[in-house]
Coordinates of all heavy atoms in Angstrom, one line a residue:
V247 N -8.7 31.0 -23.8 CA -8.0 31.0 -25.1 C -8.7 30.0 -26.0 O -8.5 28.8 -25.9 CB -6.5 30.7 -24.9 CG1 -5.8 30.8 -26.3 CG2 -5.9 31.7 -23.9
N248 N -9.5 30.6 -27.0 CA -10.2 29.7 -27.9 C -9.2 29.4 -29.1 O -9.2 30.1 -30.1 CB -11.4 30.5 -28.5 CG -12.7 30.1 -27.7 OD1 -12.9 29.0 -27.3 ND2 -13.5 31.1 -27.5
N249 N -8.4 28.4 -28.9 CA -7.3 28.0 -29.8 C -7.7 26.9 -30.7 O -7.2 26.8 -31.9 CB -6.1 27.7 -29.0 CG -5.0 27.0 -29.9 OD1 -4.4 27.6 -30.8 ND2 -4.9 25.7 -29.7
A250 N -8.5 25.9 -30.3 CA -8.7 24.7 -31.1 C -9.3 25.0 -32.4 O -10.2 25.9 -32.5 CB -9.7 23.8 -30.3
G251 N -8.8 24.4 -33.4 CA -9.3 24.6 -34.8 C -8.8 23.5 -35.7 O -8.0 22.7 -35.3
M252 N -9.4 23.5 -36.9 CA -9.0 22.5 -37.9 C -9.1 23.1 -39.3 O -9.9 23.9 -39.6 CB -10.0 21.2 -37.8 CG -11.4 21.5 -38.1 SD -12.4 20.0 -38.2 CE -11.7 19.2 -39.7
P253 N -8.2 22.6 -40.2 CA -8.2 23.1 -41.5 C -9.2 22.2 -42.3 O -9.7 21.2 -41.9 CB -6.8 22.8 -42.0 CG -6.4 21.6 -41.2 CD -7.1 21.7 -39.9
D254 N -9.5 22.6 -43.6 CA -10.3 21.8 -44.4 C -9.5 21.3 -45.6 O -9.6 20.2 -46.1 CB -11.6 22.4 -44.9 CG -11.4 23.7 -45.6 OD1 -10.8 23.7 -46.7 OD2 -11.8 24.8 -45.1
A255 N -8.5 22.1 -46.1 CA -7.6 21.7 -47.2 C -8.3 21.1 -48.4 O -7.9 20.1 -48.9 CB -6.5 20.8 -46.7
M256 N -9.5 21.6 -48.8 CA -10.3 21.0 -49.8 C -11.0 22.1 -50.6 O -11.4 23.1 -50.0 CB -11.3 20.0 -49.2 CG -12.0 19.2 -50.3 SD -13.1 18.0 -49.5 CE -12.0 16.8 -48.8
R257 N -11.2 21.9 -51.9 CA -12.0 22.9 -52.7 C -13.4 22.9 -52.1 O -14.0 21.9 -51.8 CB -12.0 22.4 -54.1 CG -10.6 22.4 -54.8 CD -10.1 23.9 -55.0 NE -8.8 23.8 -55.7 CZ -8.2 24.9 -56.1 NH1 -8.7 26.1 -55.9 NH2 -7.0 24.9 -56.7
A258 N -14.0 24.1 -52.1 CA -15.3 24.3 -51.5 C -16.4 23.4 -52.1 O -17.2 22.8 -51.4 CB -15.7 25.7 -51.6
H259 N -16.4 23.2 -53.5 CA -17.4 22.4 -54.1 C -17.2 20.9 -54.0 O -18.1 20.2 -54.4 CB -17.5 22.8 -55.6 CG -16.3 22.4 -56.4 ND1 -15.1 23.1 -56.3 CD2 -16.0 21.4 -57.3 CE1 -14.2 22.6 -57.1 NE2 -14.7 21.6 -57.7
K260 N -16.1 20.5 -53.4 CA -15.9 19.1 -53.2 C -16.0 18.6 -51.7 O -15.9 17.5 -51.4 CB -14.4 18.7 -53.6 CG -14.2 18.9 -55.1 CD -12.8 18.5 -55.5 CE -12.6 18.6 -57.0 NZ -11.2 18.2 -57.4
M261 N -16.4 19.6 -50.9 CA -16.5 19.2 -49.4 C -17.8 18.5 -49.1 O -18.9 19.0 -49.4 CB -16.4 20.5 -48.6 CG -15.1 21.2 -48.6 SD -15.1 22.6 -47.4 CE -15.2 21.8 -45.8
P262 N -17.7 17.3 -48.5 CA -18.9 16.6 -48.1 C -19.5 17.4 -46.9 O -18.8 18.1 -46.2 CB -18.4 15.2 -47.6 CG -17.0 15.4 -47.3 CD -16.5 16.5 -48.2
V263 N -20.8 17.3 -46.8 CA -21.5 18.0 -45.7 C -21.0 17.7 -44.4 O -21.0 18.5 -43.5 CB -23.0 17.8 -45.9 CG1 -23.4 16.4 -45.5 CG2 -23.8 18.8 -45.0
E264 N -20.5 16.4 -44.2 CA -20.0 16.1 -42.9 C -18.8 16.9 -42.5 O -18.6 17.3 -41.3 CB -19.7 14.6 -42.8 CG -20.9 13.6 -43.0 CD -21.3 13.4 -44.4 OE1 -20.6 13.9 -45.3 OE2 -22.4 12.8 -44.6
L265 N -17.9 17.1 -43.5 CA -16.7 17.9 -43.2 C -17.1 19.4 -43.0 O -16.5 20.1 -42.2 CB -15.7 17.8 -44.4 CG -14.4 18.6 -44.2 CD1 -13.7 18.2 -43.0 CD2 -13.5 18.4 -45.5
V266 N -18.1 19.9 -43.8 CA -18.6 21.3 -43.6 C -19.0 21.4 -42.1 O -18.7 22.4 -41.4 CB -19.7 21.6 -44.5 CG1 -20.4 22.9 -44.2 CG2 -19.2 21.6 -46.0
D267 N -19.8 20.5 -41.6 CA -20.4 20.6 -40.3 C -19.2 20.5 -39.2 O -19.3 21.2 -38.2 CB -21.4 19.5 -40.0 CG -22.7 19.7 -40.8 OD1 -22.9 20.8 -41.2 OD2 -23.4 18.7 -40.9
Q268 N -18.2 19.7 -39.5 CA -17.1 19.5 -38.6 C -16.3 20.8 -38.5 O -16.0 21.3 -37.4 CB -16.2 18.3 -39.0 CG -15.2 18.0 -38.0 CD -14.4 16.7 -38.4 OE1 -14.4 16.3 -39.6 NE2 -13.7 16.2 -37.5
V269 N -16.0 21.4 -39.6 CA -15.2 22.6 -39.7 C -15.9 23.8 -39.0 O -15.3 24.5 -38.2 CB -14.8 23.0 -41.1 CG1 -14.1 24.4 -41.1 CG2 -13.8 21.9 -41.7
L270 N -17.2 23.9 -39.3 CA -18.0 24.9 -38.7 C -18.1 24.7 -37.2 O -18.1 25.6 -36.4 CB -19.4 25.0 -39.3 CG -19.5 25.6 -40.7 CD1 -20.9 25.4 -41.3 CD2 -19.1 27.0 -40.8
G271 N -18.3 23.4 -36.8 CA -18.4 23.1 -35.4 C -17.2 23.4 -34.6 O -17.3 24.0 -33.5

């Protein structure tokens, strides 16, 4: 059951690359 996940709750153009990598990861 692949359940683990996280939200980003941020506008796309304001996301730092670290958060992008974390959400994708």
Side-chain angles (χ1 to χ4, degrees):
V247 182
N248 266 322
N249 165 75
M252 64 173 291
D254 58 67
M256 187 178 291
R257 298 286 184 178
H259 65 287
K260 295 183 177 180
M261 291 183 71
V263 68
E264 294 81 9
L265 181 57
V266 171
D267 289 343
Q268 189 177 14
V269 172
L270 289 172

